[in-house]
Amino acid sequence: MESRNHTAVSEFLLLGLTEDPALQPLIFSLFLSMYLVTILGNLLIILAVSSDPHLHTTPMYFFLCSLSFNDICLSTSTIPKMLSDIHTQHQSITYPGCLSQVCFVIVFAVLENFLLAVMAYDRYVAICHPLAYTTIMNPTLCVLLLLISLSISTVDAVFNTLMILRLSFCTDLEIPNFFCELPQIIRLACSDTLIDDNLIYIETCLFGGFPLSGIIFSYVNIVSSVLRMPSSGGKHKAFSTCGSHLSVVSLFYGTAFGVYISSVVTDSPRKTAVASVMYTVVPSMLNPFIYSLRNRDMKEALRKLISRVASLL
C-alpha cells in the first residue's frame, strides 16, 4: 500500500457506530441523553458532598468526588465530538485533535483504574484497621495518592501520544469508531508496529493489572476481617460500606473485560466500537446512581441539597 509520513497526515475520518442515516437521529438522542445524565449525576454527587460538612472529613467522599469529576472528563473527551459529527455530518478529526483525544481518554481511563484501587485501599483501612483509620488516611496521604495516580496516568498518556508521533500512516485513515482509540490508530499505520503492540500489552498489564490486584488484595483482607466479626450487625454494616464500591468496580472492569473479549472473538470493527461504549460511557453514567442509591450518607446529603435548592426557588 502507498504510505506517507505522519507529517503529511492532516486528519482522520471517524466512521462512528453506524453508517445508516436512519439510525443517526436515534444515536444522537441516545448519546445526548446519556451525556446529560452523566454530567448532571456526577455534578450532583460533587455538590452534595461539598455542601455537607459531615462528609468533608471522610476520605471516601474525597475520592468519590475525584471519581465523579474524572467521569465527567472521560465522557466529555469523547461524546461532544461524536454529537457534533452527527449534527454537522462532518466526521473528520484533525491529526492534532485525534492525538489530543487519545491522550485525554488514556489519562482519564487509567486514572479511573487507580482511583478505584485507592478507594478499595480506603475501605481496607477503614474495616481492617478502624482504630488507626484517621491516622493512616490523613488529608496529606489522600491528596498524595490522588496526585500520584494523576501523574502516572498523565505520563502514560503522553508516552502513548509520543509513540503515535513516530508512526507513518497509510492513505486509508478511516477509524471505525466514534473516537480516536489507540489500538485502532496503530492498526492504520504502515510502519512496523511490533514495538507499539508489545508496549500496549505491557501497559495494560501494568496499569490495569496492578490496580486490579490491589483491589483484589484489599477485598480478600476485608472479607477475612468481616468474617471474624462476632456480630451479624457488624458484618452487615461492613459489607454495606463496600457495596457501592464493589458495584462500580464490577461495572468498570466487567465492561472493560467485555471490550477485550469482543475484540478477540470478532473481526468486526463496528462491534468493537459498540463495545467501547461500555467502558467509556456507561460506567461514568451509572456510577452516581450506584453511590446515591446504595449509600445512606449520600442519599441524606442529596436530600439536603435538593431541599436547599427547592427552598431557594
Side-chain angles (χ1 to χ4, degrees):
M1 294 181 65
E2 180 187 352
S3 64
R4 57 183 178 179
N5 189 268
H6 67 274
T7 56
V9 176
S10 59
E11 61 183 23
F12 292 93
L13 188 65
L14 296 172
L15 299 182
L17 298 177
T18 178
E19 293 180 353
D20 188 351
L23 292 177
Q24 296 295 341
L26 175 62
I27 292 176
F28 181 88
S29 301
L30 178 62
F31 274 80
L32 178 60
S33 301
M34 294 172 72
Y35 182 60
L36 291 176
V37 169
T38 299
I39 299 298
L40 293 175
N42 284 288
L43 277 179
L44 272 177
I45 293 291
I46 295 173
L47 291 173
V49 173
S50 302
S51 63
D52 193 336
H54 172 67
L55 303 181
H56 293 177
T57 57
T58 307
M60 178 177 70
Y61 296 105
F62 168 74
F63 295 124
L64 177 57
C65 283
S66 302
L67 182 67
S68 293
F69 181 75
N70 185 74
D71 285 337
I72 291 174
C73 294
L74 180 58
S75 296
T76 302
S77 63
T78 58
I79 298 181
K81 171 60 179 171
M82 176 191 185
L83 296 176
S84 175
D85 289 347
I86 296 176
H87 179 69
T88 62
Q89 295 297 306
H90 183 71
Q91 296 176 294
S92 64
I93 182 171
T94 63
Y95 183 71
C98 192
L99 292 182
S100 299
Q101 193 172 59
V102 168
C103 186
F104 284 123
V105 168
I106 293 175
V107 167
F108 301 126
V110 174
L111 183 56
E112 184 107 355
N113 276 284
F114 281 98
L115 283 175
L116 292 175
V118 168
M119 293 172 78
Y121 175 71
D122 172 75
R123 293 298 83 205
Y124 160 73
V125 176
I127 294 174
C128 299
H129 305 283
L131 298 179
Y133 177 68
T134 54
T135 303
I136 298 175
M137 298 302 296
N138 57 76
T140 302
L141 179 63
C142 293
V143 173
L144 183 62
L145 289 173
L146 177 60
L147 291 177
I148 291 174
S149 300
L150 180 59
S151 299
I152 293 174
S153 59
T154 302
V155 169
D156 181 45
V158 172
F159 178 77
N160 279 287
T161 304
L162 294 175
M163 189 171 67
I164 295 176
L165 287 172
R166 57 175 288 275
L167 297 176
S168 297
F169 291 95
C170 303
T171 53
D172 181 13
L173 298 177
E174 296 180 343
I175 301 175
N177 208 332
F178 66 98
F179 70 99
C180 292
E181 195 172 29
L182 178 62
Q184 295 190 8
I185 294 177
I186 292 177
R187 290 193 190 104
L188 297 178
C190 289
S191 52
D192 183 22
T193 61
L194 179 61
I195 296 177
D196 304 79
D197 292 332
N198 290 333
L199 285 174
I200 288 179
Y201 289 131
I202 293 172
E203 290 172 3
T204 301
C205 294
L206 187 61
F207 299 126
F210 178 72
L212 182 59
S213 299
I215 293 171
I216 294 173
F217 171 81
S218 296
Y219 275 103
V220 166
N221 284 276
I222 287 172
V223 171
S224 176
S225 179
V226 169
L227 292 178
R228 291 198 299 267
M229 293 181 178
S231 65
S232 58
K235 293 179 180 179
H236 180 268
K237 183 179 179 180
F239 279 126
S240 65
T241 61
C242 300
S244 300
H245 181 258
L246 270 176
S247 300
V248 171
V249 168
S250 301
L251 178 65
F252 181 76
Y253 283 101
T255 53
F257 185 69
V259 172
Y260 174 76
I261 292 297
S262 69
S263 64
V264 172
V265 301
T266 180
D267 293 328
S268 171
R270 292 291 184 176
K271 292 182 180 179
T272 303
V274 173
S276 297
V277 175
M278 296 304 295
Y279 84 90
T280 57
V281 179
V282 175
S284 299
M285 180 183 67
L286 295 182
N287 285 355
F289 294 98
I290 294 173
Y291 269 101
S292 60
L293 294 177
R294 296 183 60 91
N295 188 294
R296 185 175 59 185
D297 291 335
M298 277 306 309
K299 286 191 286 188
E300 181 64 20
L302 286 170
R303 186 189 65 79
K304 291 179 180 178
L305 176 64
I306 294 173
S307 299
R308 192 173 305 169
V309 172
S311 65
L312 294 176
L313 299 176

